[in-house]
Amino acid sequence: MWQSYVNGLLVAAGLIMAIGTQNAFVLAQSLRREHHLPVAALCVTCDALLVAAGVFGLATILAQNPLLLATARWGGAAFLLWYGSLALRRACSKQSLQQSENQTVRSLRAVMLSALAVTLLNPHVYLDTVLLIGSLGAQQTVPGAYVVGAASASLLWFFTLALGAAWLAPWLARPSTWRILDLLVAVMMFAVAFQLISAA
């Protein structure tokens, strides 16, 4: 059970820590103190539901088709190696998180709709959470623990951004910080890929 939990935690953490539209949106709302906690909660909920749908939907299909299971395993490993390589390349380049200075105060409804759009209209969310995290979770010995691990990573990350934005802002703006994060992402992705290949 714990192995499945840790796998879910590491895979999800590696995917959500990279700079992306969802992270940028949560951090921007947090810096402005504009409904940042509801936004973080919405992101965590969406991630958990999408991961669960991917894990349990794919689990049944994969269990009935060994060829599909092997394809998912090798495809997942290849994607993790590719994703880890991208993170490693980002770690060797300059990058920072740019924030908008727009000070217009929006309603909770408007902010939540924007958060939903950023989360659900981004094709990468389906590739990452439903397909990649889901297919990897479907192969775990305890898929439920894997889902909880992935949800834990999402919870920790988004609420860290939301609650610690004021303190984290100068730190997150430095390219060196994101290089370290991307290096950690690369290590996590390579480790899980190796585990998948070893289990084949």
Side-chain angles (χ1 to χ4, degrees):
M1 181 183 75
W2 287 110
Q3 183 65 54
S4 296
Y5 176 85
V6 171
N7 284 345
L9 183 73
L10 292 180
V11 170
L15 289 172
I16 65 176
M17 279 196 312
I19 296 176
T21 55
Q22 196 180 41
N23 284 340
F25 184 83
V26 172
L27 186 56
Q29 293 305 121
S30 302
L31 293 174
R32 297 169 61 188
R33 300 294 190 271
E34 187 181 62
H35 313 299
H36 53 296
L37 293 179
V39 166
L42 178 68
C43 291
V44 172
T45 301
C46 287
D47 280 0
L49 291 174
L50 289 169
V51 169
V55 168
F56 295 113
L58 287 173
T60 303
I61 297 172
L62 292 175
Q64 298 172 352
N65 193 325
L67 178 60
L68 200 56
L69 178 61
T71 302
R73 175 180 289 116
W74 289 103
F79 185 89
L80 288 170
L81 291 171
W82 173 75
Y83 196 95
S85 298
L86 289 181
L88 194 59
R89 187 172 66 180
R90 286 195 306 268
C92 299
S93 65
K94 290 187 176 182
Q95 58 180 322
S96 63
L97 191 61
Q98 302 298 324
Q99 291 303 322
S100 170
E101 297 298 326
N102 182 9
Q103 297 299 314
T104 303
V105 178
R106 296 181 294 169
S107 68
L108 175 61
R109 181 175 181 274
V111 170
M112 296 298 273
L113 286 175
S114 295
L116 275 175
V118 165
T119 300
L120 300 179
L121 297 182
N122 179 4
H124 288 289
V125 77
Y126 298 102
L127 178 64
D128 292 345
T129 57
V130 178
L131 184 59
L132 176 59
I133 299 179
S135 63
L136 293 175
Q139 302 169 49
Q140 300 297 312
T141 53
V142 186
Y146 179 91
V147 172
V148 174
S152 297
S154 183
L155 180 73
L156 289 170
W157 178 254
F158 286 119
F159 276 95
T160 295
L161 287 182
L163 295 172
W167 178 75
L168 290 172
W171 185 72
L172 288 173
R174 290 183 292 177
S176 59
T177 299
W178 288 99
R179 288 195 193 102
I180 293 171
L181 287 176
D182 276 324
L183 188 58
L184 291 174
V185 167
V187 170
M188 289 177 188
M189 297 298 101
F190 291 149
V192 177
F194 178 75
Q195 187 181 73
L196 278 178
I197 293 171
S198 298

